[in-house]
């Protein structure tokens, strides 16, 4: 048994699980009318309702004890203090410094990083203002109307999700596009409708070696030079964001258009850095700084609120409760806000690349489940697609519901209908429908006994499905910053309890290595190596049919 599963807090939760497991939340709500007040928290304009979870006060006490035993608060301070908590890469994880709105210094290896952070923010402001107000023109003197971000993973999903989420605040006549997939279709379809004279490419890559990004960047460069008939055009139409300044200069990007960040920023935590440049261009630097402000507000809450009143801590602990004691394998996220439609995809990388680990910080195999599969789609679309499985399937999928109180596009009754659906879903998942209730309905509908008995089992909803609800006033940059930082910290809390390193991603390496071996074989430059029979067969099939 691992130290964690042997620990007093874990054992206490195991014993407590057998008490909670048979209880139904419907009954818990009937027994305790104050459940909402007891199990909800407010932070600025954010409401976190976690009352529809399979918990009572004792569960929360025991989960908080688990966090205490894992010394979550100490680890949080280590992260904020710039300690090299990413042990396998010997790096700090200081995305919080990027949104530090205070005058407090933040040190990495004895150096205060804040002057560099502020300097790059200043450069981003100058550049984005220049593009937005037409000072920085394209090679032929025309104003930039389209920005194409070329990046993948953290160098794509974060800025893409934020640009989509803040579309309401975007400048008219400026469009943001994102090319990530190495499938040529992505680039070609994006460029089809663009005019090279008015297009700016941002090559975003922490390492500036990522195969997909460098391939797309090379093809975009060739397209631009061909369209404008001049290599010099690259100076005006290409910018880069990277930690690898040698590689950006080798690619031929004008040093004035290069924005630096640092190895203490993890890829999936980088949207707060210059990787957020497309955001600054799209919605303006003031809005980008409001986003940083929202992240900072959540940081302050995370650092200072007691564990049992701390939203990221509670969210993280609830995830552990379901993953490790109820055996839940997936966690769904449903934004009832169309602007947040890419939020689940963004969270997939954040959570699954961070906590999809099977050995602990010391390299010892864990004997408990870690990161869950994260997925989701915006409401109400999911309701007409996969909610069936949530309501009546055999699995328990704890879900987060996110919704704004006010719509940015209030028309007719749309928003009330949207929210009614959101609240109805969490209610339905929790209360379910008993056999008696279903029977009474069928009787009212006039069903005859035989038909009624046949249909009855299909009409029963077990309920007791846990959900969190996050309500906020309106989707603005500050609120979005809070939400993103909330999930980042939730993931961190879980990693601390699970004793895993959430800041490395060695699991992406093997596929990259093997692709590097297979590519020359597909080119026919080298004979097919000795793979397994399936892979050899696929390569041979490609050669025979290509
Ligand atoms: O392969 C995974 C990964 O390393 C992610 O962690 C990262 O966000 C992505 O690739 C892109 O990396 P880069 O920004 O260096 O191009």
């Amino acid at each position: 048994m691992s130290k964690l599963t042997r620990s007093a807090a874990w054992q206490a939760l195991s014993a407590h699980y057998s008490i909670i497991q048979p209880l139904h939340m419907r009954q818990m709500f009937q027994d305790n009318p104050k459940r909402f007040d007891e199990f909800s928290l407010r932070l600025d304009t954010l409401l976190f309702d976690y009352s529809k979870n399979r918990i009572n006060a004792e569960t929360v006490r025991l989960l908080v004890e688990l966090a205490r035993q894992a010394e979550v608060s100490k680890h949080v301070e280590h992260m904020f203090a710039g300690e090299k908590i990413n042990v396998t890469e010997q790096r700090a994880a200081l995305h919080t410094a990027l949104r530090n709105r205070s005058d407090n210094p933040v040190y990495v290896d004895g150096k205060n990083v804040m002057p560099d952070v502020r300097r790059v923010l200043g450069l981003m402001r100058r550049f984005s203002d220049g593009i937005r107000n037409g000072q920085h023109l394209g090679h032929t003197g025309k104003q930039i109307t389209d920005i194409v971000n070329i990046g993948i993973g953290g160098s794509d999903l974060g800025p893409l999700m934020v640009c989509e989420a803040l579309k309401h605040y975007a400048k008219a006549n400026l469009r943001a596009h994102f090319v990530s997939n190495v499938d040529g279709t992505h680039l070609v379809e994006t460029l089809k409708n663009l005019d090279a004279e008015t297009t700016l490419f941002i090559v975003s890559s922490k390492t500036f070696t990522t195969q997909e990004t460098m391939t797309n960047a090379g093809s975009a460069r060739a397209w631009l030079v061909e369209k404008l008939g001049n290599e010099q055009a690259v100076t005006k139409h290409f910018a880069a964001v990277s930690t690898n300044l040698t590689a950006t200069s080798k690619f031929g990007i004008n040093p004035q258009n290069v924005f630096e960040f640092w190895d203490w920023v993890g890829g999936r935590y980088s949207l707060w850095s210059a990787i957020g440049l497309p955001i600054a261009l799209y919605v303006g630097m003031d809005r980008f700084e409001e986003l940083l402000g929202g992240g900072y507000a959540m940081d302050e809450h995370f650092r200072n609120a007691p564990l049992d009143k701390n939203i990221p801590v509670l969210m993280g602990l609830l995830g552990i409760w379901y993953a490790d004691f109820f055996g839940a394998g997936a966690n769904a996220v449903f934004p009832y806000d169309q602007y947040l439609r890419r939020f689940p995809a963004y969270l997939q990388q954040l959570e699954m690349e961070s906590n999809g680990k099977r050995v602990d910080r010391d390299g010892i195999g864990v004997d408990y489940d870690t990161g869950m599969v994260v997925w989701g789609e915006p409401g109400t679309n999911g309701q007409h697609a996969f909610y069936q499985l949530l309501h009546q399937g055999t699995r328990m999928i704890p879900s987060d519901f996110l919704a704004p109180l006010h719509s940015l596009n209030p028309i007719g009754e749309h928003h009330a209908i949207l929210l009614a659906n959101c609240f109805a879903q969490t209610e339905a998942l929790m209360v379910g429908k008993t056999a008696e209730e279903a029977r009474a309905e069928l009787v009212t509908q006039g069903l005859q006994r035989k038909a009624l008995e046949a249909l009855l089992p299909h009409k029963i909803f077990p309920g007791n499905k846990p959900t969190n609800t996050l309500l906020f006033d309106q989707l603005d940059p500050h609120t979005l910053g809070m939400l993103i930082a909330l999930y980042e910290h939730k993931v961190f809390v879980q990693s601390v309890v699970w004793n895993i390193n959430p800041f490395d991603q060695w699991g992406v390496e093997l596929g990259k290595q093997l692709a590097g071996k297979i590519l020359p074989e597909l080119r026919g430059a080298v004979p097919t190596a000795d793979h397994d029979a399936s892979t050899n067969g696929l390569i041979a099939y490609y050669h025979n049919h290509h």
Side-chain angles (χ1 to χ4, degrees):
M1 268 172 119
S2 65
K3 202 169 146 210
L4 177 59
T5 50
R6 263 189 286 123
S7 70
W10 193 275
Q11 290 294 322
L13 277 163
S14 287
H16 179 70
Y17 167 74
S18 51
I19 298 168
I20 291 290
Q21 202 280 335
L23 302 183
H24 199 292
M25 280 190 277
R26 179 194 273 236
Q27 190 61 47
M28 289 169 144
F29 269 92
Q30 278 165 13
D31 294 346
N32 178 7
K34 292 226 164 86
R35 234 182 122 77
F36 175 76
D37 301 326
E38 273 175 33
F39 301 116
S40 66
L41 290 169
R42 280 166 194 75
L43 178 62
D44 298 342
T45 59
L46 196 65
L47 167 75
F48 173 53
D49 171 19
Y50 61 105
S51 58
K52 292 192 186 91
N53 276 292
R54 295 176 69 171
I55 55 168
N56 60 19
E58 179 65 359
T59 324
V60 175
R61 193 187 69 74
L62 292 172
L63 286 169
V64 167
E65 190 46 42
L66 182 70
R68 250 186 224 118
Q69 174 190 274
E71 302 185 291
V72 165
S73 307
K74 187 183 92 183
H75 285 273
V76 170
E77 277 323 301
H78 287 175
M79 175 171 73
F80 278 88
E83 290 192 21
K84 297 198 171 158
I85 57 174
N86 177 357
V87 284
T88 59
E89 297 179 314
Q90 272 306 299
R91 288 176 185 161
L94 260 184
H95 38 288
T96 51
L98 301 167
R99 56 198 188 217
N100 171 20
R101 306 269 93 193
S102 76
D103 293 330
N104 297 335
V106 181
Y107 293 98
V108 175
D109 288 332
K111 183 185 170 207
N112 179 12
V113 298
M114 289 315 299
D116 274 344
V117 169
R118 302 242 152 84
R119 176 178 55 79
V120 175
L121 285 174
L123 295 175
M124 287 170 70
R125 179 175 287 279
R126 207 175 63 192
F127 186 75
S128 53
D129 283 355
I131 296 280
R132 286 166 63 86
N133 64 27
Q135 268 173 330
H136 175 131
L137 299 171
H139 180 66
T140 57
K142 288 196 180 164
Q143 189 155 349
I144 299 297
T145 57
D146 291 88
I147 304 150
V148 181
N149 188 77
I150 298 179
I152 198 163
S155 301
D156 168 72
L157 287 163
L160 164 59
M161 178 275 287
V162 174
C163 284
E164 187 66 30
L166 300 182
K167 203 178 206 158
H168 177 79
Y169 305 89
K171 182 175 158 49
N173 301 328
L174 192 60
R175 289 165 294 275
H177 313 266
F178 290 83
V179 173
S180 48
N181 197 337
V182 75
D183 181 343
T185 299
H186 203 174
L187 183 67
V188 170
E189 284 294 335
T190 306
L191 297 184
K192 244 180 203 169
N193 302 318
L194 299 187
D195 177 355
E197 291 183 87
T198 57
T199 299
L200 173 78
F201 293 96
I202 305 172
V203 187
S204 289
S205 174
K206 181 173 171 178
T207 53
F208 228 73
T209 56
T210 303
Q211 185 185 46
E212 293 91 333
T213 301
M214 298 328 294
T215 306
N216 279 324
S219 300
R221 190 184 199 279
W223 175 84
L224 184 95
V225 172
E226 196 222 292
K227 293 277 177 202
L228 299 186
N230 194 332
E231 282 278 335
Q232 278 305 309
V234 174
T235 324
K236 294 278 187 188
H237 291 266
F238 268 81
V241 183
S242 187
T243 57
N244 185 350
L245 303 190
T246 319
T248 59
S249 99
K250 213 163 148 203
F251 188 87
I253 293 179
N254 178 356
Q256 283 189 338
N257 300 348
V258 173
F259 301 85
E260 179 192 4
F261 67 112
W262 308 274
D263 73 353
W264 43 263
V265 182
R268 52 195 171 275
Y269 299 86
S270 64
L271 70 87
W272 318 95
S273 73
I275 289 288
L277 186 64
I279 306 168
L281 285 160
Y282 192 52
V283 298
M285 195 62 193
D286 287 345
R287 297 288 190 196
F288 182 72
E289 298 218 20
E290 285 165 29
L291 180 86
L292 299 184
Y296 177 66
M298 186 54 73
D299 292 344
E300 286 295 280
H301 167 76
F302 184 48
R303 268 182 110 165
N304 299 316
L307 295 176
D308 60 348
K309 298 276 178 282
N310 196 309
I311 303 177
V313 170
L314 290 171
M315 270 182 88
L317 292 172
L318 286 166
I320 291 172
W321 180 229
Y322 295 122
D324 293 305
F325 296 91
F326 284 81
N331 179 198
V333 181
F334 303 127
Y336 277 67
D337 187 319
Q338 185 64 17
Y339 284 124
L340 286 175
R341 74 189 181 89
R342 295 296 289 166
F343 196 53
Y346 162 78
L347 291 180
Q348 277 176 339
Q349 186 196 14
L350 175 66
E351 300 216 13
M352 294 166 77
E353 206 171 69
S354 297
N355 282 346
K357 309 286 161 68
R358 55 187 283 286
V359 296
D360 70 13
R361 285 195 208 102
D362 303 314
I364 296 166
V366 298
D367 61 353
Y368 41 87
D369 275 318
T370 60
M372 286 202 253
V373 173
V374 176
W375 60 282
E377 283 288 324
T380 54
N381 299 13
Q383 293 173 206
H384 296 274
F386 48 74
Y387 278 34
Q388 165 67 37
L389 184 146
L390 302 185
H391 286 290
Q392 290 187 315
T394 53
R395 297 165 201 283
M396 183 183 87
I397 302 182
S399 313
D400 295 348
F401 286 70
L402 288 77
L405 292 179
H406 300 101
S407 171
L408 290 165
N409 299 294
I411 47 163
E413 269 227 290
H414 285 242
H415 201 62
I417 295 171
L418 178 77
L419 288 186
N421 273 282
C422 175
F423 300 163
Q425 287 300 325
T426 64
E427 184 179 22
L429 286 164
M430 189 273 281
V431 293
K433 191 184 281 180
T434 62
E436 294 68 41
E437 287 165 342
R439 184 187 298 277
E441 271 182 23
L442 293 174
V443 168
T444 316
Q445 286 163 20
L447 251 77
Q448 295 309 303
R449 194 183 148 74
K450 207 170 159 207
L452 187 149
E453 291 306 331
L455 197 52
L456 185 62
H458 303 278
K459 293 284 199 172
I460 296 167
F461 290 67
N464 217 14
K465 313 279 187 185
T467 59
N468 291 317
T469 301
L470 282 157
L471 293 183
F472 44 93
D473 194 40
Q474 200 163 41
L475 189 63
D476 56 29
H478 185 89
T479 305
L480 181 65
M482 287 179 81
L483 288 173
I484 301 169
L486 162 59
Y487 276 91
E488 283 180 353
H489 293 324
K490 170 205 145 175
V491 168
F492 182 67
V493 168
Q494 294 185 333
S495 76
V496 171
V497 173
W498 285 327
N499 190 27
I500 55 177
N501 177 7
F503 298 115
D504 62 11
Q505 57 284 316
W506 301 107
V508 302
E509 296 296 324
L510 179 58
K512 285 186 193 174
Q513 272 171 13
L514 293 179
K517 199 165 148 196
I518 293 173
L519 179 59
E521 293 166 11
L522 292 187
R523 286 181 188 137
V526 295
T528 302
D530 204 8
H531 301 280
D532 58 273
S534 162
T535 311
N536 281 339
L538 293 169
I539 296 171
Y541 190 86
Y542 168 86
H543 281 303
N544 292 339
H545 295 86
H546 196 247

